[in-house]
Structure formats: structure tokens, C-alpha cells
Amino acid sequence: MEVSERWYRNLESDAGVPLTPDALMRLSTALALGPDERLALYGNVHADADPAVPGRTVDGAPRCALSQLLATQEQFPGYLVDQAWNILDHTPTMATWFPWVLEPGANLLRWVLLSAEAREQLTDWPGHAGVYLAQLRFALVTSRGDRQLGALLDEVLDDPECRSRWSQDLNVIAYRQGHRFRLRLPHVSAEEITVTSQVLLPAYRQEIRYVLLLPDPATPTPIPTAGPDPVTSRRTRT
């Protein structure tokens, strides 16, 4: 990069150097950052930017639209989460596969990292833990000062195994798009289920994530089309 030594000193001391899109691109290239690390860098620099645009619909509209979209995919496990992994909505099949989503205050990251159930049901739990910790690191970098994320980090670091992984693995992952993994759910299938996660983000409200778990077509598994109670198994918070 063709910048002055003073610019570098100010950057390293967080003295507020101008970071234009071109400077960010060149800095990312100079540091050989991967795509998730670049997103983390850009998100940190622009963390306080308001993505809203004139004439945008009201705040609840993207979530309502995603809930409607989720309802069309009821044969698959699917859910909506916010920036802190709080479950906002889910399909009946998601509740059948993972009944914990029906609990008050259900939180995906807390369940994955801190529950004994997750360590049993997620094949290769250590690998899952590493992915979610890397996503938590990305969220903390790009959402500075978010109290919910700070509280989640405190909870996670209270767990000795998670604390050890957090200090040893400095990976940053933006999203879990296209991640293929296996599940042990004896109440759904006698065999392990292989799924791939598909993640969608609404325009201008990218703190909401729409996620579907699509079973591997090469290893078909019985997929219930509704939960234990079609009326109460699907919780909507729109």
C-alpha cells in the first residue's frame, strides 16, 4: 500500500485514520485476509452505519415477510434468528427435531455451545463449537457494544472447554452458509441425518437470518411434516 509511515502508526494505535473502500481493499490484500475476515474488517469499520434508506418499509416488515416464507417450507427444519441468535420463529419440523426451540428465550448459540443435549446430538460437536465461536467473534467485531452479544460471550467463557477453544482458535466466520453436517436424532431417525444449512439475509436488515436445514438427498430420511401439535408446536414472534 502506498501510504505514509504516520498512516500506519495511526492505524495501529486506533487514532482514526481514513479508511476508504479502496484503502480497505488494499489493506485486506496486503494482509492476505480471507472473505470472512474481510467482512469482519469492513463490518468493524462501518459498524455504526445505518443501513436504512429513504422510503424503506417499517422495521417489522422484513421479519413478517420471512415468517411467511418460512411457513412455505414447513417440511424442512427452518428458523429465524436475530443478531444474537435468539430464535424468532421456526417451522413445525424444526420443533419436532429440536424441541428446545419451544422454550422461552430459546437461543441457538447458547444451546449449541452450552447444552449437554447439543453435545450428544451434533456429530463432531467440537467442530460445531469452533464454527459458532468463530461466528460469535465475527458478530462481536461487526456489532460493537451489543449488550446481548457481550452477555453471550460471558456465558460462553464460563464454560472451561469453550473458554479454552476461544483463546486458542482465532478464526472468524461470517455465516454458516452451505455447511454440511450430521445429526444424531433418534426420535426422528434411527440413522444419522446429514443436512446442509442454507442462510438468507433480508436486504437492509441483515441482522435477521433465515436458515433452512436441507437433508442430503443421497441419504433420505423420514421428515415429519408437522410437530406434535400443529397449533402449538410452531411459535411465531412477529
Side-chain angles (χ1 to χ4, degrees):
M1 292 180 59
E2 298 177 359
V3 294
S4 67
E5 181 181 342
R6 179 180 180 182
W7 188 93
Y8 274 116
R9 288 201 302 267
N10 288 341
L11 176 65
E12 293 174 350
S13 62
D14 197 22
V17 298
L19 287 171
T20 64
D22 180 63
L24 285 173
M25 182 180 68
R26 293 159 65 193
L27 181 62
S28 299
T29 301
L31 296 175
L33 299 183
D36 291 294
E37 293 167 321
R38 289 182 183 232
L39 279 174
L41 174 63
Y42 293 9
N44 179 265
V45 171
H46 301 293
D48 299 324
D50 184 357
V53 294
R56 179 177 57 80
T57 54
V58 295
D59 288 350
R63 182 168 151 188
C64 291
L66 285 174
S67 289
Q68 292 174 352
L69 180 60
L70 198 66
T72 69
Q73 301 293 335
E74 292 191 344
Q75 70 270 36
F76 300 118
Y79 56 90
L80 300 181
V81 290
D82 62 16
Q83 78 283 356
W85 286 274
N86 296 306
I87 299 291
L88 303 176
D89 199 0
H90 56 76
T91 64
T93 301
M94 183 69 184
T96 299
W97 285 32
F98 304 101
W100 61 268
V101 300
L102 296 170
E103 299 172 1
N107 182 282
L108 178 64
L109 186 135
R110 184 182 292 114
W111 179 81
V112 169
L113 293 177
L114 301 179
S115 74
E117 183 181 55
R119 300 186 187 205
E120 173 62 29
Q121 294 183 354
L122 299 173
T123 304
D124 182 29
W125 178 84
H128 284 271
V131 170
Y132 275 94
L133 288 172
Q135 288 185 98
L136 177 57
R137 182 172 281 107
F138 176 88
L140 288 165
V141 166
T142 56
S143 301
R144 296 191 304 264
D146 189 294
R147 293 184 179 180
Q148 290 189 76
L149 290 174
L152 271 177
L153 178 61
D154 290 341
E155 288 185 60
V156 167
L157 295 184
D158 279 341
D159 179 86
E161 187 166 0
C162 289
R163 183 169 63 249
S164 175
R165 292 179 180 279
W166 179 263
S167 62
Q168 295 175 18
D169 188 350
L170 300 180
N171 286 338
V172 175
I173 295 177
Y175 305 108
R176 213 180 187 201
Q177 168 64 20
H179 188 248
R180 189 170 182 268
F181 58 98
R182 291 174 294 136
L183 298 164
R184 290 188 291 258
L185 302 173
H187 58 289
V188 176
S189 172
E191 304 295 331
E192 285 192 350
I193 302 172
T194 300
V195 298
T196 300
S197 62
Q198 299 295 336
V199 183
L200 301 179
L201 306 176
Y204 305 117
R205 277 295 173 264
Q206 296 188 9
E207 74 278 7
I208 302 176
R209 280 157 284 173
Y210 170 106
V211 183
L212 284 177
L213 302 182
L214 303 180
D216 189 341
T219 55
T221 57
I223 302 176
T225 57
D229 184 331
V231 175
T232 61
S233 67
R234 184 171 180 272
R235 178 184 54 184
T236 302
R237 302 185 185 84
T238 56

